[in-house]
Amino acid sequence: MLQLDLRGRPCPEPVLEVRKALMEHSELEVLLDSTTSVANVSRLARSSACSIEEVERGDHSLLILRREDKAEAQSTPSVTETREADAAVQQGPHVLVLSADTMGRGDDELGHVLMRAFVSTLREFDPLPARIILYNSAVKLAVQDSAALKDLQELVERGVDLLACGTCLKHFALTEQLAVGRVSNMYEIAGELIGAARLSSL
């Protein structure tokens, strides 16, 4: 049985590591020291047709995950299969809109950490959104020295069309620093939003 020691790992790393391991292993032992990580990994395990046994060990928890019989698990479509079926019915792209370089309101430092984690986690999904539109301070995600730059570059390499609002880049004096994606305009952005089959926004 494969054992993963994920103690001290920040969100969403434990979920991503367990997700990858479940692609190759039917049984896992996972060490976690965060109640949030335990809840998130347990939720992933249930959605992946795994049984869960939790053992408290003082300052950390041990989760024992066992995947159910493949034939039984396949009776329910996976999230990816459901999304692909939905995409086949709908005509038009899935467009993701980011309007800030932070996620949520309250503490900007926390917001930057959350947005960085969100962009990084996007790489784990299949299918990816066809386009990502950045406007207002979200354009800062795509410039030189951005903490999210490497992840955005990978998304573009995998076929995501990344559009950065030209007016926004100019406002922040960042036009020359755009390091990934392409400069767009409000006419194109409006057309993409209107023509999207699915629209997600932050």
Side-chain angles (χ1 to χ4, degrees):
M1 181 182 295
L2 178 67
Q3 185 176 88
L4 297 178
D5 188 349
L6 302 175
R7 290 174 290 184
R9 301 284 287 274
C11 175
E13 290 183 14
V15 170
L16 298 181
E17 291 295 328
V18 171
R19 179 176 177 272
K20 290 178 182 178
L22 285 174
M23 293 178 181
E24 299 180 0
H25 302 272
S26 60
E27 295 186 351
L28 296 178
E29 288 187 349
V30 186
L31 297 174
L32 299 164
D33 59 359
S34 161
T35 56
T36 299
S37 293
V38 170
N40 290 341
V41 170
S42 297
R43 190 177 301 111
L44 170 70
R46 285 191 292 270
S47 69
S48 302
C50 291
S51 64
I52 308 167
E53 179 182 348
E54 181 176 353
V55 180
E56 292 292 339
R57 290 188 171 180
D59 62 347
H60 68 275
S61 297
L62 168 67
L63 293 186
I64 302 173
L65 311 182
R66 292 186 175 90
R67 191 164 54 224
E68 298 174 1
D69 179 75
K70 288 185 176 180
E72 180 180 345
Q74 288 176 352
S75 62
T76 302
S78 68
V79 173
T80 297
E81 290 171 340
T82 301
R83 287 175 176 165
E84 289 175 343
D86 289 344
V89 173
Q90 297 168 336
Q91 298 298 316
H94 177 198
V95 176
L96 172 63
V97 180
L98 302 181
S99 60
D101 60 341
T102 60
M103 190 175 190
R105 298 177 180 176
D107 187 297
D108 283 347
E109 183 177 354
L110 173 60
H112 286 298
V113 172
L114 296 176
M115 181 57 78
R116 169 71 179 83
F118 174 78
V119 174
S120 178
T121 304
L122 277 178
R123 302 175 305 156
E124 303 299 323
F125 287 88
D126 183 21
L128 293 168
R131 293 177 184 82
I132 297 177
I133 296 174
L134 309 178
Y135 66 85
N136 211 316
S137 64
V139 297
K140 296 179 180 179
L141 298 169
V143 301
Q144 299 167 12
D145 300 323
S146 164
L149 181 59
K150 184 177 179 180
D151 294 321
L152 287 177
Q153 288 173 330
E154 180 178 330
L155 292 173
V156 169
E157 289 170 1
R158 291 172 58 188
V160 175
D161 188 14
L162 184 67
L163 286 66
C165 167
T167 301
C168 307
L169 288 166
K170 184 177 180 180
H171 174 80
F172 293 111
L174 293 173
T175 304
E176 301 303 320
Q177 296 183 44
L178 185 67
V180 64
R182 59 189 179 85
V183 178
S184 186
N185 57 74
M186 191 53 67
Y187 182 83
E188 181 181 23
I189 289 173
E192 294 294 345
L193 298 180
I194 291 172
R198 286 201 301 150
L199 184 63
S200 305
S201 62
L202 283 179

